[in-house]
Amino acid sequence: MGEAPRRELTSERLRRELNFQVPEELARRVREAAAIRAKILKCLEGREMTVREIAREAGIPESVVFWHLMTMYKYNLVEPAEKTEDGLYKYRLKRGR
Amino acid sequence: MQKILERAEAAGEQLSYDAVVIGGGIAGMEASLSLADMGYRVLLVEREPTIGGKMFLLSKVFPTLDCASCIATPKMAAAARHPNITLWTYSEVRRVRALDRGAFEVDILRKPRFVNESLCTGCGLCEDACPVVVPKELDFGLRGRKAVYIPLDTAVPRKAVVDIDNCILCGQCERRCPAGAIDFTQKPRVYRVRARAVVIATGCRPFPAELKEAYGYGRTPNVITALQMERLLAPTRPYNAVLRPSDGREPGNIGYVLCAGSRDVTAGNPRCSQVCCMYSIKQAQLLLGALPLADVTIYYMDVRAYGKGFEEFYQRARSMGVKFVRGRVARIEGLPNGDVRVMYEDVEEGRLKSAVHDLVVLAVGLLPDNEVLKAFEGVTIHTDELGFVKVDPEDPVRTNVEGVFAAGCITGPKDIPDTILEAAAAAMRCAAFLKEVEARQT
């Protein structure tokens, strides 16, 4: 008996109907953001770091690191740990994620 | 979205309501609930994917410091569940035509959420799967959201929506959704609705702070608007604490600049925003609660503490240690370490001075959110020179068009109690008009 044909996803259908190509600018932004998130997550593997430390190690501006970090915090990928004396929080990967 | 909107279909059904209320903020919800409680059938139309307007984004209200969400969310739930209210979110009024006395024809575009609302449980798994991150509008860009998202934990309806402009149609959300709610076959539909009255309650929008170039908003990460600070202080806040956006540090020294884009002819907005003094004083008090060691300075021209309990609220802020400096801020600039320098004229001392803060908050003015007025055909809703709907001073919810009422910040900046009062008045006036129309028809 052969496998049942896979049902077409509605997203695939809309793609086909609109002859949709991801706009270049959007594709670039998605790739860039994914790369930044991956760098941040790699930095945090097995340790706790402040925004400043991540920025220095990953070579990304602090404001960009913080924006992505807070986005990942809301999506339960990272969590704040202790606060340092200069008012900066350390962040770590969310336990059990 | 443009390509999607081109696929809009006309809905065949003829719908009819006693009143169409445009805008699902606190004014629209209050007007709808009041009319519905009187037995009238109301269609409440909201442009955004959730009702709640600005109020459900706020931290607390002044001068009582009651939780804003605790007041707004029960009203949101009540509006969504009232048997006499039909709620259409993510919908836009495209055309309003006055056919006769007490007879309007309203064309409403229902944009596709690409999510089957009856199947979506609001679990958020689609968000986790989505690879696209864009600035979150409801947090005024302080953090990101996904291309498929639930607007806020307290959203009504608490259903996901696909931002099709930023969607790459990768299908990840559709594969992940356990309820099978993602549906890209949805099409926009235009409904033609008959109504006997219309209530405009589209509210206001903050003055675009970037237009006040000397204040550096948009160029200096640690210059934020008061609405962004509201989000930082709200229970549904984007960060784990009050932190500055440049580096995530807790600010120890915060400056407030009042009248940023209001009472300012050079910024094109000479009008007082009515609320920026009091919300700044409120935020200063809340900041001292969240950051007990912080210094908060408010730069002001004059403090307009005009309402019941406002003067006491202002005096309390002073006694808590909030520093008030009477002076007009001329310029704000970012420093290399992320701090912000404020240059101002100290009016009391008659000298030019400067001060450095960790974070500066611009108490921006309010402008009308009046896009919907363009949808009126055959009649023109009169506005003032700034675009706020003009109302009869002796009947401040009645517009120049019979059967069209207005409530809330669309008629001028005002605080929440005044907005609610006005919305109830608009509902009462609207009900009287409906009764009169009924009497003539029988």
Side-chain angles (χ1 to χ4, degrees), chain B residues 420-436:
Chain B
I420 292 176
L421 194 72
E422 208 173 85
M428 189 276 287
R429 276 290 187 223
C430 183
F433 173 76
L434 291 170
K435 272 264 175 269
E436 202 186 304

Side-chain angles (χ1 to χ4, degrees), chain A residues 12 29 33 42 87 89:
Chain A
E12 290 169 341
R29 279 194 282 125
K42 191 163 170 38
Y89 278 86

Side-chain angles (χ1 to χ4, degrees), chain A residues 70-83:
Chain A
M70 286 302 99
T71 303
M72 290 194 282
Y73 163 64
K74 273 293 164 184
Y75 288 109
N76 287 315
L77 294 172
V78 299
E79 62 186 3
E82 64 180 279
K83 190 167 73 175

Side-chain angles (χ1 to χ4, degrees), chain B residues 58-355:
Chain B
L58 306 181
S59 51
K60 299 197 176 196
V61 295
F62 60 78
T64 55
L65 293 186
D66 289 322
C67 161
S69 279
C70 305
I71 301 166
T73 46
K75 274 200 194 299
M76 291 158 72
R81 289 181 187 159
H82 200 294
N84 287 339
I85 298 176
T86 302
L87 173 61
W88 284 2
T89 52
Y90 213 39
S91 302
E92 287 177 13
V93 170
R94 285 297 171 99
R95 196 178 67 125
V96 184
R97 263 195 334 138
L99 303 175
D100 196 359
R101 192 165 188 272
F104 293 90
E105 191 178 77
V106 187
D107 287 354
I108 300 166
L109 170 72
R110 297 203 71 188
K111 293 183 283 183
R113 290 177 92 99
F114 299 111
V115 171
N116 184 327
E117 283 187 53
S118 55
L119 294 177
C120 178
T121 59
C123 68
L125 286 174
C126 53
E127 289 186 272
D128 292 343
C130 178
V132 182
V133 177
V134 294
K136 180 170 174 140
E137 300 86 345
L138 291 184
D139 282 332
F140 304 100
L142 288 171
R143 71 165 172 101
R145 64 156 170 82
K146 300 296 184 72
V148 57
Y149 65 105
I150 294 166
L152 219 58
D153 289 343
T154 48
V156 173
R158 196 179 184 282
K159 308 286 179 188
V161 57
V162 175
D163 165 9
I164 200 70
D165 288 329
N166 285 300
C167 178
I168 57 172
L169 290 177
C170 64
Q172 297 286 358
C173 54
E174 197 172 359
R175 286 186 197 94
R176 179 71 71 88
C177 177
I182 305 291
D183 179 6
F184 283 97
T185 65
Q186 288 184 352
K187 290 197 169 97
R189 302 192 84 189
V190 178
Y191 288 81
R192 182 152 288 176
V193 173
R194 293 292 287 262
R196 296 193 291 153
V198 175
V199 179
I200 306 170
T202 48
C204 56
R205 58 188 168 89
F207 175 85
E210 58 277 9
L211 294 184
K212 188 76 188 164
E213 276 186 40
Y215 288 176
Y217 182 79
R219 297 194 309 271
T220 313
N222 292 330
V223 175
I224 64 171
T225 66
L227 269 169
Q228 287 178 309
M229 180 55 88
E230 283 292 336
R231 296 301 302 138
L232 294 185
L233 291 163
T236 52
R237 59 180 167 258
Y239 303 164
N240 49 304
V242 176
L243 304 172
R244 63 181 202 171
S246 75
D247 54 8
R249 189 156 66 83
E250 247 181 20
N253 182 349
I254 302 151
Y256 273 82
V257 178
L258 302 197
C259 303
S262 59
R263 299 175 70 192
D264 186 348
V265 180
T266 63
N269 185 20
R271 196 157 180 168
C272 171
S273 74
Q274 305 278 322
V275 287
C276 86
C277 291
M278 297 312 292
Y279 73 55
S280 300
I281 291 169
K282 172 197 75 179
Q283 289 185 3
Q285 293 187 25
L286 295 176
L287 278 168
L288 292 180
L291 308 167
L293 300 178
D295 291 319
V296 182
T297 305
I298 295 181
Y299 300 94
Y300 71 103
M301 290 201 283
D302 49 60
V303 171
R304 293 187 164 175
Y306 60 88
K308 185 182 172 191
F310 287 10
E311 176 63 19
E312 292 82 350
F313 195 62
Y314 165 49
Q315 293 302 338
R316 189 168 83 177
R318 276 187 174 277
S319 66
M320 285 172 78
V322 178
K323 194 175 156 199
F324 287 81
V325 174
R326 187 164 194 179
R328 186 79 170 161
V329 171
R331 195 173 166 76
I332 299 172
E333 62 182 27
L335 301 175
N337 65 351
D339 291 350
V340 184
R341 178 178 287 131
V342 173
M343 282 155 275
Y344 64 99
E345 182 192 7
D346 187 324
V347 176
E348 308 281 337
E349 294 186 18
R351 283 201 301 138
L352 298 179
K353 287 184 172 181
S354 75

Side-chain angles (χ1 to χ4, degrees), chain B residues 354-375:
Chain B
S354 75
V356 174
H357 297 280
D358 294 337
L359 183 68
V360 166
V361 183
L362 303 179
V364 290
L366 300 176
L367 298 173
D369 197 342
N370 60 7
E371 196 63 23
V372 76
L373 302 183
K374 292 180 193 156

Side-chain angles (χ1 to χ4, degrees), chain A residues 13-79:
Chain A
R13 189 168 141 191
L14 186 61
R15 243 187 135 99
R16 184 166 45 76
E17 284 175 5
L18 296 177
N19 194 18
F20 178 78
Q21 299 287 326
V22 179
E24 214 169 282
E25 170 61 16
L26 179 58
R28 187 190 58 78
R29 279 194 282 125
V30 171
R31 275 196 301 270
E32 268 181 22
I36 291 169
R37 286 198 303 272
K39 277 185 184 173
I40 295 171
L41 291 172
K42 191 163 170 38
C43 283
L44 292 176
E45 266 172 22
R47 55 187 171 158
E48 296 173 356
M49 294 173 89
T50 64
V51 170
R52 192 160 296 165
E53 288 163 349
I54 299 169
R56 206 170 294 149
E57 189 164 315
I60 304 167
E62 288 179 7
S63 59
V64 176
V65 168
F66 183 60
W67 192 86
H68 283 280
L69 205 56
M70 286 302 99
T71 303
M72 290 194 282
Y73 163 64
K74 273 293 164 184
Y75 288 109
N76 287 315
L77 294 172
V78 299
E79 62 186 3

